[in-house]
Amino acid sequence: MAASLEHDDLANLFLSIGALQPPAELHGYAAGFISVGGRLEQDGWLQHCIDLLDCEAPNPEQSDALYTVYCTALLGLESGEMDLELLLPDDEFDLDQRIASLGQWCQGFLTGFAMAGKQQVDGDKTYSEELTEAISDIAAIAQVSADEGDDEEGEQDYFAVSEYVRIAAMTIFVEFNAMPSEHGGDAASRLH
């Protein structure tokens, strides 16, 4: 799954289609959208990509690559094996670039969460304390700035925060997708 989705390849694709957002943000958007129960076929996803990335319609090969972003997030979340991997630049990039990408991933997650949430309106919805805290933390991390140096402590902090975001995203997904047993049957029709 992860081998078919490389940050650098997507960054090059984004440049070629004139995308205004980075790959990390699109992947975060997919994860947030899916977490709330949003599901799309390829054509629907591509329309989201065009809108989010503010770019021209991609050719078929580019479309397949963009759909892979969605599918990878979906498979990572639905696997039940905690397989979600954040699409972030690898260790060859400077720490400040990786920190900025983590913030962009979080921003994308919040945007996707909000977009799918609008489609899944549930007037008196209350969320668990864990979900509320996870969303709040992701929102705070979305505001991150890279003011730390490239020291070992900064690397460890980056890894810890990235792992926290990954777990938080999966926690949100599990809560939204486990609702039928906890909150009654009406949520099941909302998710599919």
Side-chain angles (χ1 to χ4, degrees):
M1 173 175 59
S4 63
L5 190 62
E6 294 293 330
H7 183 275
D8 292 351
D9 294 338
L10 279 172
N12 290 334
L13 168 65
F14 280 34
L15 285 174
S16 72
I17 62 174
L20 298 179
Q21 308 301 334
E25 189 166 343
L26 182 64
H27 188 260
Y29 179 91
F33 189 86
I34 292 164
S35 291
V36 184
R39 300 294 185 271
L40 296 167
E41 296 297 323
Q42 185 167 355
D43 290 342
W45 173 248
L46 292 177
Q47 189 57 53
H48 278 257
C49 290
I50 291 167
D51 294 344
L52 181 70
L53 301 175
D54 194 20
C55 65
E56 298 295 321
N59 68 39
E61 184 178 320
Q62 295 166 331
S63 296
D64 289 344
L66 291 173
Y67 193 54
T68 299
V69 173
Y70 172 84
C71 292
T72 301
L74 181 64
L75 290 171
L77 289 165
E78 287 187 335
S79 74
E81 302 293 324
M82 306 294 272
D83 283 344
L84 179 69
E85 292 183 32
L86 308 185
L87 181 62
L88 300 170
D90 60 28
D91 293 346
E92 294 174 10
F93 286 81
D94 291 338
L95 180 59
D96 61 341
Q97 291 174 300
R98 289 181 281 141
I99 290 170
S101 288
L102 179 59
Q104 292 161 342
W105 193 96
C106 291
Q107 183 60 50
F109 184 91
L110 296 170
T111 303
F113 182 89
M115 288 298 292
K118 283 185 204 176
Q119 297 172 8
Q120 315 289 341
V121 176
D122 188 358
D124 296 325
K125 180 70 192 113
T126 57
Y127 302 118
S128 72
E129 185 177 324
E130 290 83 13
L131 186 138
T132 303
E133 183 178 336
I135 291 293
S136 177
D137 290 345
I138 289 174
I141 294 166
Q143 305 302 314
V144 71
S145 64
D147 55 352
E148 300 179 32
D150 285 332
D151 62 3
E152 187 174 322
E153 187 176 317
E155 289 285 345
Q156 291 171 351
D157 291 345
Y158 168 77
F159 176 79
V161 172
S162 297
E163 185 64 10
Y164 175 81
V165 168
R166 187 179 81 81
I167 298 299
M170 288 185 290
T171 299
I172 293 165
F173 173 82
V174 167
E175 179 163 330
F176 270 93
N177 292 278
M179 280 186 197
S181 64
E182 296 173 14
H183 299 289
D186 63 339
S189 62
R190 191 170 58 84
L191 292 175
H192 297 287

